[in-house]
Structure formats: structure tokens, C-alpha cells
Amino acid sequence: MEKPLAIKLAPKSLKDVLGQEHLIGKGKVLTNLVKNKKIFSMILYGKPGIGKTSIANALVNDLGVRYRFLNATINTKKDLDIVIEEAKMYDGIVLIMDEIHRLNKDKQDILLPQLESGLITLIGMTTSNPYHSINPAIRSRCQLFELKEIETDDIIKGLKKAIKSPYLEGIDIDNKSIELIAKLSGNDLRFAYNLLEISYYSSDNKKIDQDRIKSINNKPVFFSDKNGDGHYDVLSGLQKSIRGSDVDAALHYAARLVIEGDLDSLFRRLSVIAYEDIGLANPAIGPRLDAAINAAERVGLPEARIPIGTIITEMALSPKSNTAHIAFDKALEDIENGNVGTIPNHIKTDSTTYKYPHDYPGAYVVQQYLPDKIKNKKYYSPKDIGYEKNIKNIYEKLENIKKHSN
């Protein structure tokens, strides 16, 4: 079976790699390793399609070292044992391992001593954050290199190189179409090559125009793996944008989730934001959000974007308060630390001395509710903002009554 264009165009040397100027180029770390004929165990991490595999292969090609390629998910302990035996036979080997974050404990136990002795030099690759996802013992034996997104200009450069290659003979494509492919690629060079190739082979005359490209794919690609960091980065960007009252950024991150079709994650995170970040400053936002979610689910996409956009705009521009959940966190912390005490007798179930507030003016009477051990504890500290101004006034009035009743 014929290899995809992206594999055919894979760089054979670091000098052919597009982007990653912080690692590759005159005086840069990876280029200097090749120059000095030296390699160390490392982990290359970053989004898909930005050159992790290309850089790993280019490094071993430039250095002319013996290497093997494994995938932590697919390959077995037996496969790893074979690599180790080969390393012993040739006094060392470079192991390129994809999906390194999925390496299970059994394989880790086999690999670690070989890394420690230097028998195996590891080049690991992952789309996950290695500080969170990779075993610390392996991580401590490797240098970590983050790969950056490839700029659009570099994507275009790669596409033009592909067009001039012998693999797309007779191709007819203009600059506007090249730019459209680059735009749709979402900074993923592999995706750009794949879209170019399918556009070429799906044309009856090898002519590629914008209509042809849009008939194949009309949505930009972005990294939002539901099981990886990219997905949670989008949700984090959404929450922090709403918390920071940046309505434009909030709408941007919400739009990513809508385009992806992941309304469940969007609605769950908005529900958290309504109470964590807006809270008592605008307590009506919770029911309003529920109404917007119900409307969105009822009408479905594309019309769902209307209530979604409306409620996100309101949430971003709403006054913000986190006092209620912070107060509750303090109460939970007391319980977890054993700071509880005995419930006062007069509010126990069988009490005969409890003062029923509704029998008093204003439905309020001063009496102790907290246990003696923490009777003066204050968890809640109101903000003077939005609706919470009203709550603050009531709170201060009640505190003043308590103070003068003692």
C-alpha cells in the first residue's frame, strides 16, 4: 500500500524540518547536538502534526546511530526485550517511542535500568504534558523539549515544497487555494499534507481550487483531544476568560467547543462557572444558564449557538463573586481537620430550649448555632458587588445585632 504524502515528505535531516526555530538552527540545542555528534535521552512534546516524529527521525539520521521505533500503546514487553538485547549486542541503541505517556508500569520497570546505565537512549514523543502524564522516574532521566505550533507561513512553505515534489505530478493549484489549506490545517502540517493529497486525487484533472478544498473540509482543525491536555486547555481558557470578564475570549473558546460538537463539556463547565465565579454577585445566573441550556438542547445545532452565545456574553459581563464557595471550602477544611465540636444542646432534635426564629420580630433571634469549640468562627466574607451588596447589608446588620446582644 502506498505511503501517505506526509510520510513521503518527512524530513531526513534537521535542516529540512519546518518551524521549531527555538530548537533547530544555528546555535540551537538540537542542531548543536548533531554538530557535536552527541545525543541524550529526551522527550518531545506538543500538539499533533508539528514535527515530533520528524525531529526524532532527523536526529538519528543526522547522527547515523542505530535506532528502533516502538509505540508504548501497541508494542509489548517482548518487543522492548528485543530492543534491549539488540542494544547489548551493539553496545547501545536509540529507542524512539511514540505515546510515551502510555507506557505501563511493567514496561517502565524494564526500561528504567537501561536508561540509567545508558544502554538505551530514549527519544519519547507525546501530545500530553510530560510534567503531568509521564512517570517521574523516566522524566528525571530525560531532557524535556516542548515543540511549538508551526506558523502559517511554514505550513505554506511545506505545501509549496509538496507541490514541487514528484509525488503530485501535474498538479494545478493557485496561491489562494494553498493559503486556504494552510488556514484549515490549524497549524497541523500533517493535516495540511493530507488535505492537499486528497484534493489532488479527488480531482479528475489534477486541478485544485477553493471549491474543491471546501467540498472536502470546510472547518479548521484545532487540537482538543477529549482525553488530553488540549481539551482541558480549551475549557480552562473558557473559564478564565469569563472569570476575567473578557467576553470576546469567552466566546472564542466556547465556539471551539461548539464547532467540535462537544456541548456536554461546555454546559458542565458553564454550570461550574455560574456558581464558582459569578455566585452571589448575580445568583439569577444559575437558573438563567439552565434555561439557556434547555433551549439549546431543545433546538439543537446550529440554532443552539443563539442561547449559548447570549448566556456566555451575560456571564462574562456579569459581576463576579466567589465568596460563597470559598466560605464553604473553609467549612469543609475544618471538618476534614477535625475542627468540629459538639452541636449545642438547644438546637439538637430533642431540645426544649430552642428559640423558634419565626416567633420573633423580623423572624430573627440571637442564639448560638456553632459548636462551642468554633462558636466565633467566620467563614463568609461578603463582597460589595452586584446582588451581593444586598446580602452584605443583611449580613452586617445581623452581625451588629449579635454584637450588641452579648
Side-chain angles (χ1 to χ4, degrees):
M1 190 172 182
E2 191 174 356
K3 293 179 180 178
L5 180 64
I7 293 179
K8 293 176 182 177
L9 294 173
K12 303 296 188 294
S13 171
L14 280 183
K15 67 178 184 293
D16 299 323
V17 173
L18 295 171
Q20 312 310 329
E21 289 85 359
H22 63 299
L23 298 174
I24 300 169
K26 186 176 180 181
K28 299 302 172 65
V29 58
L30 295 185
T31 301
N32 282 349
L33 288 179
V34 171
K35 178 182 176 182
N36 294 318
K37 303 292 183 184
K38 187 68 176 177
I39 190 167
F40 299 90
S41 288
M42 66 182 73
I43 293 171
L44 306 174
Y45 69 101
K47 297 178 180 179
I50 59 176
K52 295 183 293 295
T53 303
S54 294
I55 289 175
N57 286 326
L59 275 172
V60 294
N61 285 337
D62 283 341
L63 289 166
V65 295
R66 183 176 295 276
Y67 72 95
R68 287 291 177 264
F69 189 101
L70 295 180
N71 184 299
T73 305
I74 299 170
N75 291 108
T76 64
K77 288 192 295 180
K78 183 178 179 180
D79 296 323
L80 188 54
D81 286 335
I82 292 172
V83 172
I84 292 170
E85 290 305 312
E86 186 174 355
K88 291 175 180 177
M89 186 182 306
Y90 292 99
D91 195 28
I93 201 168
V94 174
L95 173 60
I96 300 174
M97 182 170 285
D98 202 6
E99 303 281 350
I100 184 69
H101 61 284
R102 297 190 182 277
L103 194 66
N104 64 34
K105 189 177 185 305
D106 288 346
K107 295 174 190 173
Q108 291 170 19
D109 291 341
I110 295 171
L111 181 59
L112 279 171
Q114 315 310 325
L115 291 180
E116 189 72 41
S117 68
L119 186 67
I120 285 182
T121 301
L122 175 69
I123 302 180
M125 300 175 296
T126 178
T127 56
S128 296
N129 186 330
Y131 295 97
H132 300 156
S133 62
I134 293 180
N135 180 289
I138 290 179
R139 195 174 66 228
S140 69
R141 290 163 173 80
C142 300
Q143 296 299 314
L144 307 183
F145 295 118
E146 180 180 8
L147 274 62
K148 308 295 184 182
E149 285 189 350
I150 301 177
E151 298 295 332
T152 302
D153 287 346
D154 286 323
I155 298 284
I156 292 173
K157 189 185 299 182
L159 289 169
K160 288 182 175 179
K161 179 182 177 181
I163 290 163
K164 293 177 182 177
S165 74
Y167 307 119
L168 301 174
E169 185 179 353
I171 187 172
D172 181 5
I173 184 171
D174 59 22
N175 286 332
K176 290 291 185 183
S177 297
I178 294 172
E179 291 170 5
L180 176 60
I181 292 175
K183 179 182 176 182
L184 292 173
S185 72
N187 304 102
D188 182 332
L189 182 59
R190 180 171 53 226
F191 182 90
Y193 284 152
N194 290 342
L195 182 53
L196 176 66
E197 186 175 24
I198 193 171
S199 298
Y200 172 79
Y201 282 108
S202 65
S203 171
D204 55 7
N205 58 3
K206 300 180 181 178
K207 179 178 175 61
I208 302 174
D209 57 21
Q210 295 184 61
D211 288 339
R212 167 68 55 186
I213 295 163
K214 289 177 181 178
S215 71
I216 297 167
N217 190 301
N218 197 29
K219 290 183 179 180
V221 173
F222 48 86
F223 180 51
S224 183
D225 177 5
K226 290 187 181 182
N227 297 314
D229 292 336
H231 173 68
Y232 294 105
D233 286 344
V234 173
L235 292 171
S236 176
L238 172 69
Q239 181 160 10
K240 287 170 182 170
S241 298
I242 293 178
R243 182 184 295 153
S245 301
D246 190 324
V247 63
D248 299 302
L251 290 169
H252 170 81
Y253 292 116
R256 288 195 184 196
L257 293 163
V258 169
I259 291 294
E260 189 181 357
D262 189 8
L263 297 186
D264 287 344
S265 293
L266 173 61
F267 294 158
R268 282 195 299 270
R269 185 55 64 102
L270 290 176
S271 297
V272 171
I273 296 168
Y275 293 95
E276 179 180 354
D277 294 304
I278 298 172
L280 292 175
N282 182 6
I285 203 69
R288 289 178 62 78
L289 172 62
D290 282 344
I293 290 173
N294 287 336
E297 290 177 336
R298 187 176 302 119
V299 301
L301 288 169
E303 288 83 0
R305 76 190 191 284
I306 299 169
I308 290 172
T310 302
I311 194 65
I312 288 172
T313 300
E314 182 179 357
M315 291 175 74
L317 298 178
S318 172
K320 310 293 192 302
S321 175
N322 64 350
T323 56
H325 89 80
I326 291 297
F328 192 45
D329 285 346
K330 291 176 181 176
L332 291 169
E333 184 179 1
D334 265 355
I335 305 304
E336 289 169 351
N337 292 331
N339 195 19
V340 287
T342 303
I343 298 171
N345 288 330
H346 60 276
I347 61 169
K348 289 182 177 178
T349 305
D350 57 355
S351 170
T352 58
T353 57
Y354 169 62
K355 297 176 182 177
Y356 188 58
H358 295 289
D359 290 341
Y360 294 82
Y364 180 74
V365 60
V366 176
Q367 60 187 323
Q368 181 182 329
Y369 292 95
L370 279 170
D372 285 340
K373 184 179 179 180
I374 54 171
K375 67 179 182 180
N376 295 317
K377 190 80 173 185
K378 301 295 180 189
Y379 296 119
Y380 178 57
S381 179
K383 286 185 177 180
D384 192 22
I385 187 170
Y387 177 83
E388 196 169 9
K389 285 182 181 179
N390 301 325
I391 294 178
K392 182 181 179 183
N393 290 336
I394 295 170
Y395 178 81
E396 291 178 345
K397 179 180 178 181
L398 295 175
E399 288 298 299
N400 190 51
I401 294 172
K402 286 183 190 176
K403 180 179 177 181
H404 287 92
S405 68
N406 294 330

